């Protein structure tokens, strides 16, 4: 299951997560973001309990998008122990995202 993250639940869902977190920064108007939906659903389902998949809408959470200097969407950030450890943007293959998670 994917989790919608805003500035309000970001500390709990991302920074204090006990499992690695894959965050997608996206925009509702972004066609490439829509193309990533099925891939993110698959990762969320296949790695449930081992990885948390979160989505942050850049206009709804502009402060978070600015903090990570998101200029291109979709943008992906992997967190471990509350720290960003990997970053990429654009349409990515599922195996690329899995490798980013280092699982």
């Amino acid at each position: 299951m994917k989790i919608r993250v805003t500035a309000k639940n970001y500390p709990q869902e991302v920074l204090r997560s006990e499992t690695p977190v894959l965050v997608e920064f996206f925009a509702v108007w972004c066609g490439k973001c829509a193309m990533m939906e099925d891939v993110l659903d698959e990762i969320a389902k296949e790695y449930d309990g081992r990885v948390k998949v979160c989505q942050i809408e850049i206009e709804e959470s502009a402060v978070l998008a600015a903090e990570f200097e998101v200029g291109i969407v979709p943008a992906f950030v992997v967190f471990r122990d509350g720290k960003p450890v990997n970053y990429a943007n654009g349409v990515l293959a599922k195996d690329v995202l899995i490798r980013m998670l280092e699982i």
Side-chain angles (χ1 to χ4, degrees):
M1 174 180 81
K2 294 180 300 205
I3 299 167
R4 186 70 171 261
V5 171
T6 64
K8 185 175 181 178
N9 66 348
Y10 172 76
Q12 175 65 34
E13 296 295 348
V14 178
L15 299 181
R16 293 194 288 265
S17 177
E18 295 182 7
T19 60
V21 182
L22 172 62
V23 174
E24 177 199 29
F25 287 91
F26 77 101
V28 293
W29 46 260
C30 171
K32 290 181 180 179
C33 299
M35 292 171 59
M36 294 301 301
E37 282 296 312
D38 290 342
V39 172
L40 292 176
D41 287 340
E42 287 176 24
I43 292 171
K45 184 177 179 180
E46 289 175 28
Y47 294 90
D48 187 37
R50 295 186 289 157
V51 169
K52 190 182 287 188
V53 177
C54 297
Q55 293 180 299
I56 299 175
E57 205 284 323
I58 62 169
E59 292 174 357
E60 177 182 76
S61 300
V63 172
L64 290 174
E67 181 179 333
F68 289 94
E69 299 176 356
V70 175
I72 297 172
V73 288
F76 300 92
V77 182
V78 173
F79 290 82
R80 284 187 180 280
D81 301 318
K83 295 176 179 54
V85 296
N86 231 327
Y87 175 86
N89 57 35
V91 176
L92 303 174
K94 179 180 172 183
D95 64 316
V96 171
L97 292 170
I98 299 300
R99 281 197 304 270
M100 285 176 60
L101 288 161
E102 300 170 353
I103 52 177

